[in-house]
Amino acid sequence: MSDLLLPRALLHDWAAMRGSMGLRHLPLRLLEQPLEVEEFWEDLHIADGPLADLGAALMVLERGPAGEVARFAFPSRVTTPYPQNNVVVGRMYTPNAPAAGVPFLLLLHVNGREELSFEDGHARRLMARGWRVGVMALPYHMGRRPPHLDAGAAVMTPDLPHTLSALGQAVSDAADVLRWARVQGAGRVGVAGWSLGGLAAALVATQLPLEAALLVEPAVSLPWMMSRYGLFPASVRRQLRAAGLSQAALERALAPVLPINLRPQVQHSGLRILAARYDLLVGYAPTHALWDAWGRPALTVQPTGHVALLFQPALARALDGLASGWEREG
């Protein structure tokens, strides 16, 4: 991309950064002591905890030529002080007369989403191909968000214990949907997420055996984001520095939710990353470092910024490429 076109590609990133800095952020709160990475995930029992009867919770919203769209709601296994956040809500897209072993893909949204129309479009396209697709509200989003928390400032926060808990809950909730799909007979099970959803998808992929994971501009280094202009206002960044929380210190505090500290349980051929070269929000360097640490799986880099990538054809191509690959194998 030429130097003349680059600023235009980043306008949406600058706008998103200004919006984030204007939100009401939770006050700084530190951990009493750093958490051990393995112990953090073992305590959550991601792969072997009690499984909700998601099927009994399905309520049909519509039926059409391509299939059926239903709503689901079930109790989260991670409880918080906020009752509305303790219920996992989402939608299930099931094709008409699904074939035996039909693949299942769970889509996870960006930070700050207040509805699922973006994911709905991709889910319907994949349903038309014969896939079963789920979309899910991440913790503290949409109907799960308490009114005193701003959309976009409820997961990635200066309250480090809250951030760890919210991401652990996101992984637990997503894993329960994926485990349910496996029990229901899905031949292949995968997850795809963008930005915050990409971080959740990456973490899920380290806790649950899957056939595929598509990470789209994943927010894989919260310390990188927290220590730079864009996520928090200057006042919060000054508080972090005053508390001795450099990027390195934040990496120690948030170690359990940094995918680079974990190993994927996804088949290498099914692991794919889509990144924006000029990403101002989550950064290209952290994504590249994860790609290297995870054995250099398939990587596509687009010459654009973070927000613009979501509306590029590359995202639909990545999802369709995943579908085509599974269809050839199946």
Side-chain angles (χ1 to χ4, degrees), residues 58 60 81 144:
L58 291 174
V60 176
R144 304 182 66 176

Side-chain angles (χ1 to χ4, degrees), residues 166-289:
L167 288 170
Q169 185 179 31
V171 174
S172 177
D173 295 346
D176 281 354
V177 176
L178 292 161
R179 291 169 59 211
W180 175 84
R182 182 83 75 186
V183 169
Q184 293 300 304
R188 294 179 176 87
V189 176
V191 63
W194 15 98
S195 196
L196 174 61
L199 169 58
L203 293 171
V204 169
T206 69
Q207 301 302 310
L208 205 63
L210 299 171
E211 282 70 50
L214 171 61
L215 315 180
V216 181
E217 52 191 20
V220 294
S221 179
L222 296 188
W224 186 96
M225 298 171 65
M226 290 177 172
S227 58
R228 284 166 171 76
Y229 175 89
L231 180 61
F232 296 148
S235 59
V236 173
R237 297 199 306 277
R238 284 195 296 269
Q239 291 176 31
L240 292 174
R241 290 194 296 271
L245 291 176
S246 62
Q247 181 175 332
L250 286 166
E251 287 170 353
R252 291 190 292 272
L254 296 173
V257 294
L258 300 184
I260 201 167
N261 294 332
L262 300 157
R263 302 304 304 167
Q265 296 190 43
V266 178
Q267 298 173 9
H268 193 268
S269 60
L271 184 56
R272 305 181 183 198
I273 301 175
L274 175 61
R277 175 74 69 181
Y278 306 108
D279 195 319
L280 297 181
L281 274 70
V282 308
Y284 174 68
T287 301
H288 190 273

Side-chain angles (χ1 to χ4, degrees), residues 6-204:
L6 181 56
R8 183 180 303 173
L10 302 182
L11 285 176
H12 295 298
D13 283 16
W14 283 110
M17 292 160 71
R18 287 197 301 271
S20 178
M21 289 187 292
L23 298 173
R24 295 175 298 172
H25 290 274
L26 292 173
L28 175 64
R29 184 162 64 108
L30 307 180
L31 296 163
E32 293 182 2
Q33 59 183 13
L35 302 176
E36 294 293 331
V37 174
E38 292 185 3
E39 183 178 333
F40 176 86
W41 292 110
E42 286 174 359
D43 287 347
L44 287 168
H45 296 280
I46 299 297
D48 59 5
L51 194 56
D53 186 0
L54 194 152
L58 291 174
M59 182 180 70
V60 176
L61 299 176
E62 62 177 272
R63 292 186 174 94
E68 175 184 281
V69 181
R71 181 184 185 276
F72 64 78
F74 64 90
S76 174
R77 289 192 290 116
V78 176
T79 57
T80 71
Y82 312 106
Q84 63 268 60
N85 185 54
N86 297 335
V87 179
V88 186
V89 295
R91 295 178 189 166
M92 194 69 62
Y93 299 75
T94 303
N96 290 323
V102 61
F104 177 84
L105 186 67
L106 178 64
L107 307 181
L108 301 176
H109 59 78
V110 302
N111 186 45
R113 289 291 288 175
E114 298 192 71
E115 41 81 30
L116 291 167
S117 59
F118 183 83
E119 290 70 29
D120 177 79
H122 288 295
R124 289 177 185 274
R125 190 182 69 257
L126 292 170
M127 179 175 67
R129 296 186 67 147
W131 281 47
R132 196 173 200 185
V133 184
V135 300
M136 185 195 88
L138 292 170
Y140 300 103
H141 282 79
M142 294 168 245
R144 304 182 66 176
R145 179 173 62 86
H148 74 282
L149 296 178
D150 280 356
V155 173
M156 298 184 289
T157 78
D159 184 330
L160 303 187
H162 173 91
T163 294
L164 287 165
S165 174
L167 288 170
Q169 185 179 31
V171 174
S172 177
D173 295 346
D176 281 354
V177 176
L178 292 161
R179 291 169 59 211
W180 175 84
R182 182 83 75 186
V183 169
Q184 293 300 304
R188 294 179 176 87
V189 176
V191 63
W194 15 98
S195 196
L196 174 61
L199 169 58
L203 293 171
V204 169

